């Protein structure tokens, strides 16, 4: 019986194997697009959380800062699986369908941009206050301080945190296979877990682990290269 089951699993594995390169590409491009969109939203928000606070380079109204914090904390507190189900109508409205890889990008962005904004906030806060004060004393505008001082000075930390966000988004994308998302998550869940094929489940998971390791290695090296404190 066990030999028959193993033979069946192996046959299914060989049947699905030709689709693995495409599913891997689906995982990579959906992660890249979701990360880019999350950065487009999360980076300005993270900067505003630091620059807009009392005593910041460009203080914003207190009610606006409170609203931003509440929005970010609210979205971060919703579990991703529940958030995916909630935004299915929004995915259908934006991309015209509620299943597939493009549809999974919508909840990925909504779930990840608050996380990205907090990571950006953490990185910006690491900038030496003396550097910002020096820029202010030379007459730099708030926008110049943000663009030419705060972001460049925090670049190593930003790259490290963006790497963390990217690997997290890839993990979220794998979970999107539960609601019809594509990529390696679909292989692990639909063809592996639901069909009781442990071989496919382990193989798809191992590929995800490899992708995460590659991302982390590249991100760490970029952060080190951008760190002016490291002597070369």
């Amino acid at each position: 019986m066990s030999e028959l089951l193993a033979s069946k699993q192996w046959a299914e594995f060989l049947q699905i194997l030709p689709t693995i390169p495409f599913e891997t590409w689906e995982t990579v491009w959906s992660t890249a697009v979701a990360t880019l969109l999350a950065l487009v939203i999360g980076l300005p928000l993270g900067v505003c959380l630091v620059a807009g606070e009392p005593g910041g380079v460009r203080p914003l109204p207190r009610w606006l800062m409170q609203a931003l914090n509440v929005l970010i904390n609210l979205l971060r507190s919703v579990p991703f699986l529940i958030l995916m189900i909630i935004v299915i109508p929004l995915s259908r409205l934006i991309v015209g369908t509620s299943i597939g890889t493009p549809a999974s990008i919508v909840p990925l962005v909504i779930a990840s941009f608050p996380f990205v904004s907090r990571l950006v906030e953490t990185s910006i806060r690491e900038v030496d206050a003396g550097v910002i004060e020096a820029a202010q004393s030379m007459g730099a505008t708030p926008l110049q301080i943000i663009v030419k001082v705060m972001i460049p000075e925090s670049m190593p930390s930003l790259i490290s945190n963006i790497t963390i966000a990217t690997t997290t988004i890839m993990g979220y994308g794998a979970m999107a296979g539960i609601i019809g998302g594509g990529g390696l998550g679909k292989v692990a869940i639909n063809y592996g877990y639901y069909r009781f094929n442990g071989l496919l489940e382990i193989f798809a998971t191992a590929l995800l682990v490899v992708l995460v390791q590659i991302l982390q290695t590249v991100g760490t090296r970029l952060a080190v290269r951008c760190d002016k404190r490291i002597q070369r």
Side-chain angles (χ1 to χ4, degrees):
M1 184 66 179
S2 60
E3 292 181 358
L4 181 61
L5 180 61
S7 176
K8 181 181 178 182
Q9 288 184 352
W10 179 250
E12 289 180 346
F13 175 79
L14 293 178
Q15 183 181 3
I16 299 298
L17 188 60
T19 68
I20 294 297
F22 175 75
E23 300 298 350
T24 303
W25 168 246
E26 288 263 283
T27 297
V28 171
W29 84 260
S30 63
T31 300
V33 171
T35 302
L36 179 61
L37 293 176
L39 276 173
V40 169
I41 302 172
L43 181 60
L45 276 179
V47 171
C48 285
L49 290 174
V50 179
E53 65 184 359
V57 297
R58 182 61 176 87
L60 296 174
R62 185 179 298 273
W63 66 267
L64 180 58
M65 293 296 294
Q66 290 177 344
L68 289 176
N69 277 286
V70 169
L71 174 64
I72 292 171
N73 292 335
L74 178 63
L75 291 176
R76 287 188 63 199
S77 65
V78 180
F80 180 64
L81 289 177
I82 297 176
L83 183 63
M84 281 195 301
I85 297 171
I86 293 174
V87 301
I88 283 177
L90 183 60
S91 298
R92 188 181 296 114
L93 178 65
I94 294 176
V95 300
T97 179
S98 59
I99 60 174
T101 303
S104 68
I105 292 177
V106 177
L108 280 176
V109 174
I110 295 175
S112 57
F113 87 79
F115 178 57
V116 170
S117 66
R118 288 300 184 194
L119 292 177
V120 171
E121 178 189 7
T122 301
S123 297
I124 297 295
R125 290 191 186 280
E126 294 177 2
V127 177
D128 188 357
V131 177
I132 297 175
E133 291 173 359
Q136 289 175 322
S137 65
M138 290 186 290
T141 64
L143 182 60
Q144 289 174 329
I145 293 174
I146 292 171
V147 174
K148 297 183 178 181
V149 178
M150 297 173 73
I151 293 179
E153 287 293 323
S154 63
M155 190 58 68
S157 179
L158 278 174
I159 293 175
S160 295
N161 284 332
I162 289 170
T163 303
I164 294 172
T166 305
T167 56
T168 302
I169 290 170
M170 183 173 288
Y172 283 166
M175 286 189 285
I178 294 178
I179 62 167
L184 293 173
K186 181 182 73 175
V187 175
I189 295 171
N190 291 359
Y191 302 128
Y193 179 74
Y194 288 155
R195 297 186 183 182
F196 305 101
N197 192 321
L199 184 59
L200 273 172
E201 193 173 350
I202 293 172
F203 184 72
T205 303
L207 283 179
L208 283 169
V209 171
V210 170
L211 290 176
V212 168
Q213 292 299 320
I214 293 173
L215 280 173
Q216 188 62 58
T217 301
V218 172
T220 301
R221 290 183 178 179
L222 283 176
V224 170
R225 289 176 64 88
C226 292
D227 197 339
K228 296 180 293 184
R229 297 169 299 180
I230 299 178
Q231 299 294 328
R232 297 180 178 84

